[in-house]
Amino acid sequence: MKSDRVKKGVETTPQRSLFKAMGYIDEELEQPLVGVVNSFNEIIPGHIHLNTITKAAKEGIRMAGGTPIEFPAIGVCDGIAMGHVGMKYSLASRELIADSIEIMATAHSLDALVLIPNCDKIVPGMLMAAARLNIPAVVVSGGPMLTGKAVGQKETDLNTAFEAVGAFNAGKIDEIELKSFEDSVCPGCGSCSGMFTANSMNCLTEVLGMGLPGNGTIPAVFAERIRLAKKAGIQVMEMWKRDIKPRDIMTEENFKNALACDMALGCSTNSILHLPAIANEAGVIIDLDEVNEISAKTPHLCKLAPAGHHHLEDLYYAGGIQALMKTLADAKLIDTSLMTVTGKTIAENLTCVVNKNPEVIRPLDNPYSKTGGLAVLFGNLAPDGGVVKQGAVAPEMLKHEGPARVFNSEEDATAAIKAGKIVAGDVVVIRYEGPKGGPGMREMLFPTSAIAGMGLDKDVALITDGRFSGATRGACIGHISPEAAAGGTIGLIEEGDIIAIDIPNRSLQVNVDEAILAKRKAAWVPIEPKIKTGYLSRYAKLVTSASTGAVFEK
């Protein structure tokens, strides 16, 4: 046992005395020490209930002969951080989460881990730590929120509230209706109920084999979620006994599976930041061209909010992620020979799985589209790529040309949209919001929701070197690389330049002569960093491009 170095032999008498100070007994110290990483806090709805999940996981560990040792992880609520300086810290928190788990597990010689996240950056941060440490680990998430109900019994979610603000500003709803959305769209604990970033990553954790079947879709408030946590505690002990480690599971082939399911689900564009970052820790490289290759052969089968009207609980009742994987497996679009945390292969896990609702998970002969829900665009405006959730783009906006409306911050763009200065046909350009330029690569749900709420999502496109919430819909292209702060073409665009978007052909161009762009480049001077102190100033110096997952430089 790794933990023997802090609990076995005469020389570790001082360490054992410290364990005894906390009430541990000899029998507990004779067992494997299993870290239980609890990201509970009182600021994220998706995490407010995680003490219950943690308690269940610890019970499972004890039942299987381990000693659970709980410690915390931080978490940012993207919805609360949205639209102000707080969002700059969200993506940046991912590296802190991974680093802090590495520190705790290594400093205390833990034998295994149960990782308990639920929302946006916490899930990939924990998976990055698991791959880096490579000790037996199981992820058990907190589960999705139930769908809300608002005016007219319409199914609602957090995105509904953001878009309601745009509708209110456009005079389409009154204060009473706005308050109704505020009071009802988020009915309780759990990760926000659409295929936003949190649920995207929880579902892809299951696909990667790092979460038990059901991890992505069992609702937060169901007793089944507690039972899943107990099983996770039991299963991590089985992994320890069999010496199954994260890198035995998170192989190149399983990341390809994750990308295939990503395309079939139409996940958040943020998955194209997080999967490469997790893969990087596992020693696997994900190339953005590979994303398009997998998208080209993977049909879009499941259209959840914001792209469609279904939510996570609908996917749960349809059979969950396992049912989607079974559909792809039948078409040989995923490799089912791979190991998972169940101790079984994907094929063995799928033996009795059926699709219970072909309206939610469409069959292969009736897809929403023949290609995946995400696409990576390339061109002179994005030499290293830009990412769009094509499954959430109106058909009339898949190809679009329009004049650039240029802003150097999210706040300036949002103000212009709310003031009615953006009109049909425009292409809103928001720059200096990338990993370095932000710093922190903010999500742009305020401006995209304002556009959608004002009824312009079928007429206006938005491009940025920042990123988008999984709740975003419309012709919104993020992760433009290289970013403006690194001298990318997006920093050279001038007001009125014609931007040409061709999503089916994976193209993003600014229709300006190369000689003129070269002249602008020679005269280009980056704007002053927006934050020069604290963690974000250090983050900006270390972080790489969005095209590499915005990981730190080696």
Side-chain angles (χ1 to χ4, degrees), residues 444-466:
M444 302 288 166
L445 189 54
F446 265 40
T448 59
S449 295
I451 289 170
M454 296 172 77
L456 292 171
D457 56 298
K458 296 181 180 179
D459 303 290
V460 170
L462 192 156
I463 67 172
T464 180
D465 53 9

Side-chain angles (χ1 to χ4, degrees), residues 179-237:
K179 185 65 161 58
S180 173
F181 285 118
E182 175 186 325
D183 290 344
S184 60
V185 298
C186 295
C189 66
S191 48
C192 297
S193 58
M195 189 51 77
F196 311 146
T197 304
N199 289 324
S200 294
M201 295 312 303
N202 285 328
C203 290
L204 294 178
T205 296
E206 188 176 332
V207 177
L208 274 173
M210 288 298 295
L212 294 172
N215 182 73
T217 58
I218 297 170
V221 296
F222 282 17
E224 188 180 354
R225 176 63 59 175
I226 297 172
R227 298 198 297 270
L228 187 78
K230 290 179 181 178
K231 290 177 182 177
I234 292 170
Q235 196 56 40
V236 79
M237 295 307 302

Side-chain angles (χ1 to χ4, degrees), residues 231-249:
K231 290 177 182 177
I234 292 170
Q235 196 56 40
V236 79
M237 295 307 302
E238 180 66 18
M239 292 178 69
W240 177 79
K241 291 170 187 173
R242 295 176 58 182
D243 197 31
I244 300 173
K245 300 186 180 74
R247 289 186 207 167
D248 299 326
I249 296 169

